[in-house]
Amino acid sequence: MEIVKYKGLHPALKEFVESIFYMNRDANEDGFFFQVALPNYECFLSFECDTDFVVRKGGDLDFSPLYSATIIPPQFVKTEIKGKNIKAIIVKFKDGGFYRLFKIPIPHFQNKCCNARDAFDCEFSKVYDQIMEQPDLEKKIKVVEDFLLKKVIKCKPFTPLDVAAGKILLSQGNTPILDLASNACMSVRQMQRKFMEQFGLSPKQYSKFIRYSNARQMKTLFPHLTWGEISLRCGYFDQMHLIHDFKSITGLTPFELVIHPSNSNAFEAIKESRS
């Protein structure tokens, strides 16, 4: 699988978009690929350029095709993906960035991948058609970037809620919710409601995902560290606290995630382009 990050992201988008990248995955020697995408708290927008694959979410019996333009909100269950190839342009939003640009509460999607054409009527159909008309990847990405820039003009301003999310990130998911609500001049209930609207998770869930993501990233970067050492560096009380969080999010212990590489999340490893 090749994932190439677009380096020319417009400065006006950097407040809302983490990256735009191109994913290219072909079949294995047996004619198809299979992978499992783990639960994650991030939001993506995917434009399928040339794909032949199906997905099945945890609890579903059958596989179903993905849409040509798909909104992927935070996912709380594992997703199985199999097919012959994936070629897609994917926008990875910063936390809360999708809501600020498009003004659609994240719970509206009910943690399910959504056809962007249904959410935005004919707007995404026009964008997708423009993408497919372009002869090369750089021009295709430019269409996506221009589309997002038009949304920036009318976007919601930076709010105390974004500041609260930033504090959770900086504290590795260990800032008391009462302190966050007080600093944002909100009640705890109001903070939870607005946080859910913008991020698709409660502050407690968001904090748990931040710790979990930091721990996985640290293990990837420093494989010689034990999970006990990682638990202390990532804000857990101890290793059992880390194991409990991993199992509650993925259904697996951290040791099982390392043993089974097919469990890696398709959106984690990003290869920098040389252009």
Side-chain angles (χ1 to χ4, degrees):
M1 179 174 66
E2 179 187 23
I3 300 180
V4 181
K5 184 177 178 181
Y6 173 57
K7 284 189 171 182
L9 186 66
H10 194 285
L13 288 175
K14 292 183 178 180
E15 185 178 325
F16 312 93
V17 175
E18 182 73 30
S19 63
I20 300 176
F21 57 93
Y22 176 70
M23 177 186 290
N24 181 11
R25 175 154 193 174
D26 293 318
N28 301 324
E29 294 179 357
D30 51 10
F32 71 96
F33 68 85
F34 178 83
Q35 72 183 47
V36 176
L38 294 171
N40 72 86
Y41 67 96
E42 296 158 322
C43 191
F44 299 86
L45 176 60
S46 177
F47 295 94
E48 312 301 327
C49 299
D50 179 18
T51 60
D52 183 5
F53 71 97
V54 290
V55 298
R56 179 172 64 186
K57 304 225 8 171
D60 292 346
L61 296 177
D62 300 318
F63 283 87
S64 58
L66 211 59
Y67 309 107
S68 56
T70 307
I71 298 167
I72 307 173
Q75 302 292 295
F76 299 146
V77 296
K78 291 181 290 186
T79 302
E80 296 175 328
I81 307 169
K82 70 175 183 178
K84 295 181 179 179
N85 67 283
I86 298 177
K87 289 179 173 62
I89 296 171
I90 300 173
V91 180
K92 179 181 179 181
F93 293 94
K94 288 189 174 180
D95 299 345
F98 179 89
Y99 173 76
R100 292 180 61 205
L101 282 177
F102 294 100
K103 304 178 180 66
I104 298 180
I106 300 301
H108 170 81
F109 304 112
Q110 300 179 332
N111 307 119
K112 297 178 181 179
C113 295
C114 173
N115 188 343
R117 301 182 187 218
D118 292 341
F120 296 96
D121 299 324
C122 64
E123 187 175 20
F124 266 89
S125 296
K126 292 178 181 178
V127 173
Y128 182 76
D129 290 343
Q130 290 172 14
I131 291 172
M132 298 307 292
E133 290 170 359
Q134 302 306 313
D136 57 61
L137 178 59
E138 186 174 347
K139 290 182 179 179
K140 291 179 186 293
I141 292 178
K142 186 65 168 57
V143 171
V144 176
E145 188 177 53
D146 289 345
F147 165 66
L148 295 173
L149 283 170
K150 292 177 182 177
K151 299 294 180 183
V152 171
I153 300 173
K154 300 179 180 179
C155 75
K156 289 180 174 293
F158 207 68
T159 68
L161 207 62
D162 298 296
V163 176
K167 289 182 178 179
I168 292 176
L169 281 170
L170 289 174
S171 69
Q172 296 187 323
N174 287 288
T175 301
I177 307 303
L178 185 61
D179 291 351
L180 292 173
S182 177
N183 291 335
C185 299
M186 299 180 187
S187 66
V188 171
R189 181 173 294 183
Q190 186 181 25
M191 163 73 73
Q192 290 173 333
R193 178 176 58 81
K194 288 185 174 294
F195 212 92
M196 180 68 72
E197 180 180 54
Q198 183 164 332
F199 297 93
L201 308 92
S202 69
K204 184 177 180 179
Q205 288 174 312
Y206 183 70
S207 297
K208 180 188 290 189
F209 265 100
I210 293 299
R211 290 193 299 268
Y212 156 79
S213 298
N214 287 345
R216 285 202 62 195
Q217 184 178 30
M218 184 170 289
K219 187 63 174 178
T220 301
L221 295 174
F222 308 103
H224 63 281
L225 293 178
T226 66
W227 284 112
E229 291 171 323
I230 290 173
S231 67
L232 296 177
R233 298 187 186 196
C234 290
Y236 291 96
F237 295 120
D238 51 32
Q239 182 171 297
M240 286 307 299
H241 183 200
L242 178 147
I243 292 172
H244 179 270
D245 271 12
F246 268 62
K247 200 155 188 176
S248 69
I249 290 173
T250 69
L252 300 167
T253 69
F255 308 101
E256 290 171 315
L257 288 177
V258 174
I259 292 171
H260 303 293
S262 63
N263 287 322
S264 62
N265 192 316
F267 299 126
E268 287 187 351
I270 294 179
K271 176 182 178 182
E272 296 285 348
S273 67
R274 296 182 180 179
S275 58

